[in-house]
């Protein structure tokens, strides 16, 4: 984690916020000093939105407290320690141990995949942590590289961010229609709403091991529908780098949770690899019930029509809709919709300077993307490809109007709605509307105009041609023809010098399409060091965009 700013507030009369370490789904994480005990801690400041209703604000607070309680009851060397939960000016804060080091996702991004020995060591640590959590009746439900910290100097592995954890016997956000997670790391049974148990965390760990070994999630695709298909239907092809640990990876990624490798056996197999350099095969005997987690009635499998593999040529968007319908019949429709949404973006403009937005170099007119999943994309912005596979659906998908975890639905008076991260504020600039993070680090832009000659592709190409004039230091620009909701669209991606030399270069994702006689443009821009988070915001913005 790198510092991004300073605050120097003292909250609860005790904790001095000194440097921003990063932003998670629920808010900002600060490096702080506990002035009473004289020690460094991490403080998670929960983002609040004045537009939330009283009930929504209560739910957000309840979620904060649930995370703290879920983790505070756990004592394990590979689980983050929660020291305190405090209120300051009616805002909750979680005080945790400070881990000096970045996440596994940061390590993969900076240095590439890890070797089999390191992956096995990480797997053993996480399996041990999950065993302790499951025995205490706690499901993590968001296992992914970004939620695994690597302590500098010791390489201690620490599981963090229990923000959507489920505690046995407690009312959860699932039951209020806000079931969430990271699609690339979400077990197929959770996708369908059929079941949630310790096995689902183990599937996520299997996907994490593949990512650590190969540098990219095995279920990464260019659209949310593609991710759904990869997780639920498609044949799993393990990356070549997973060969040394293949029995464990395949056992954890077994689609049938009853046949999935359990934590104890997976840990034994990984320890055997660390000792001998060879991974023994998994036992063929059926797996016993795992640990001490007692499923509630809501956790038990529901009767539902069996899933049917998609027909040849069936669109990923159509498949997403079909899966949501299955989930609805299973009694979890809204939950599944929330799970499958993710995205982000910022890019500015229409190819013409705008006097009302002096801080915003111009981008193009309509930018919205049907693009990728919540990404573990490891390429640099200069070399990454804008891999947005065309959507072959001939009709727009039903609007998904439930915000993912850490987001809210913004109903904009300009005639549209979309999901934006909690804490982002609306900043209209002429004919463009922006939703921006604190300090303008991330900028989500939307523009609605009349159609222009040649359609979205021509519009984007004209904007790209003017890129050097409208975006200082414009480089690595590319325009890709794609679709949005079955309609022709174009994606423009580029890097430019940014707003200041202090901040450095920024990267922009920009999608444009026409719909019902109007042209829509949705984009996201962010510093080049934060393109993965920006791509997530962009994907969520595009996949939740609805004209109103």
């Amino acid at each position: 984690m790198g510092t991004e700013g300073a605050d120097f507030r003292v909250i609860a009369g005790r904790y001095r916020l000194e440097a921003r370490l990063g932003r998670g789904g629920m808010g900002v994480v600060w490096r702080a000093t506990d002035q009473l005990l004289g020690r460094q801690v991490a403080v998670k400041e929960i983002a609040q939105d004045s537009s939330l209703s009283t009930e929504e604000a209560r739910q957000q607070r309840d979620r904060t407290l649930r995370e703290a309680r879920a983790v505070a009851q756990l004592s394990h060397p590979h689980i983050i320690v929660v020291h305190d939960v405090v209120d300051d000016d009616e805002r909750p804060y979680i005080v945790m141990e400070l881990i000096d080091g970045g996440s596994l996702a940061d390590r993969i991004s900076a240095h590439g995949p890890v070797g089999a020995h390191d992956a096995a060591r990480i797997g053993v640590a996480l399996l041990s942590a999950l065993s302790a959590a499951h025995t205490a009746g706690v499901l993590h439900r968001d296992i992914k590289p970004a939620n695994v910290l690597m302590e500098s100097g010791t390489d201690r592995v620490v599981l963090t961010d229990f923000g959507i954890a489920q505690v046995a016997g407690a009312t959860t956000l699932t039951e209020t229609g806000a079931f969430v997670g990271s699609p690339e790391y979400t077990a197929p049974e959770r996708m369908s709403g059929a079941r949630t148990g310790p096995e689902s965390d183990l599937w996520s760990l299997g996907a994490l091991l593949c990512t650590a070994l190969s540098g990219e999630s095995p279920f990464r695709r260019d659209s949310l529908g593609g991710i759904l298909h990869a997780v639920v239907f498609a044949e799993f092809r393990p990356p070549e780098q997973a060969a040394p640990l293949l029995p464990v990876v395949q056992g954890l990624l077994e689609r049938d949770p009853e046949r999935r490798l359990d934590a104890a056996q997976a840990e034994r197999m990984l320890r055997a690899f660390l000792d001998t350099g060879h991974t023994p095969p998994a036992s063929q005997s059926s797996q016993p019930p795992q640990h001490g987690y007692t499923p509630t009635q809501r956790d038990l499998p529901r009767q539902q029509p069996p899933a049917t593999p998609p027909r040849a040529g069936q669109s990923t968007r159509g498949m997403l809709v079909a899966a949501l319908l299955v989930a609805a019949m299973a009694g979890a429709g809204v939950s599944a919709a929330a799970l499958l949404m993710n995205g982000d973006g910022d890019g500015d403009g229409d190819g013409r300077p705008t006097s009302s937005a002096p801080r915003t170099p111009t981008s193009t007119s309509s930018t919205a993307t049907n693009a990728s999943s919540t990404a573990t994309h490891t390429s640099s912005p200069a070399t990454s490809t804008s891999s947005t596979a065309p959507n072959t659906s001939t009709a727009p998908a039903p609007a998904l109007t439930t915000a993912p975890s850490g987001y809210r639905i913004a109903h904009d008076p300009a005639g549209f709605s979309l999901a934006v991260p909690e804490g982002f504020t609306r900043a209209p600039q002429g004919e463009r509307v922006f939703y921006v993070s604190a300090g303008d680090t991330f900028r989500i832009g939307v523009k609605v105009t009349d159609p222009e000659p040649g359609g979205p592709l021509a519009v984007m190409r004209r904007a790209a041609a003017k890129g050097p004039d409208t975006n200082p230091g414009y480089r690595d620009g590319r325009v890709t023809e794609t679709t949005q909701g079955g309609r022709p669209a174009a994606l423009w991606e580029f890097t430019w010098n940014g707003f200041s030399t202090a901040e450095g270069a920024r990267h922009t994702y920009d999608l444009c399409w026409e719909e019902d006689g109007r042209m829509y443009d949705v984009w996201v821009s962010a510093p080049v060091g934060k393109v993965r988070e920006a791509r997530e915001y962009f994907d969520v913005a595009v996949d939740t965009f609805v004209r109103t």
Side-chain angles (χ1 to χ4, degrees), residues 283-310:
S283 169
Q284 298 303 311
S285 61
S286 59
Q287 304 298 339
Q290 297 186 41
H291 314 299
Y293 186 85
T294 303
T296 64
Q297 183 65 36
R298 172 182 43 74
D299 297 323
L300 298 177
R302 301 180 177 94
Q303 296 299 319
Q304 62 182 22
T308 302

Side-chain angles (χ1 to χ4, degrees), residues 11 59 77-79 128 141 179 183 291 313 319 330 366 396 401 409 437 443 507:
I11 61 168
Q59 289 180 3
H78 298 297
I79 295 177
S128 177
R141 303 200 304 169
F179 176 75
H291 314 299
M319 187 165 45
S366 331
T401 56
I409 296 294
S437 66
R443 295 170 61 83
H507 197 69

Side-chain angles (χ1 to χ4, degrees), residues 92-232:
Y93 296 79
I94 301 175
V95 183
M96 302 170 288
E97 68 171 317
L98 179 66
I99 303 297
D100 184 14
S103 69
L104 176 59
D106 295 332
R107 176 170 171 174
I108 295 170
S109 179
H111 304 293
V114 305
H117 186 277
D118 279 344
R121 182 180 60 82
I122 292 167
V124 165
L126 294 179
L127 284 163
S128 177
L130 287 174
S131 294
H134 295 164
T135 298
V138 177
L139 307 181
H140 188 283
R141 303 200 304 169
D142 199 18
I143 305 293
K144 59 185 179 182
N147 287 340
V148 175
L149 302 180
M150 311 292 290
E151 188 171 50
S152 298
T154 67
D155 270 347
R156 174 187 168 213
V157 177
V158 182
L159 181 59
T160 187
D161 204 347
F162 282 71
I164 60 172
Q166 174 182 310
V167 183
T171 300
T172 71
L173 289 185
T174 302
E175 296 170 298
T176 64
F179 176 75
V180 291
S182 302
E184 293 175 52
Y185 298 94
T186 298
E189 63 269 21
R190 286 194 63 216
M191 288 283 197
S192 67
R195 158 177 200 162
T196 296
E199 303 90 350
S200 298
D201 278 349
L202 297 176
W203 165 283
S204 303
L205 178 60
L208 178 145
L209 289 175
C210 278
T211 302
L213 288 162
S214 68
E216 184 170 88
S217 163
F219 304 108
R220 175 173 168 76
R221 299 295 186 272
D222 295 331
S223 69
L224 293 177
I227 297 171
L228 174 69
H229 179 244
V231 170
V232 177

Side-chain angles (χ1 to χ4, degrees), residues 28 60 154 178 336-337 403 461 493 511-512 535:
V28 177
Q60 185 184 64
T154 67
R461 284 174 173 169
E493 184 179 350
L511 186 77
C512 173
R535 185 62 192 240

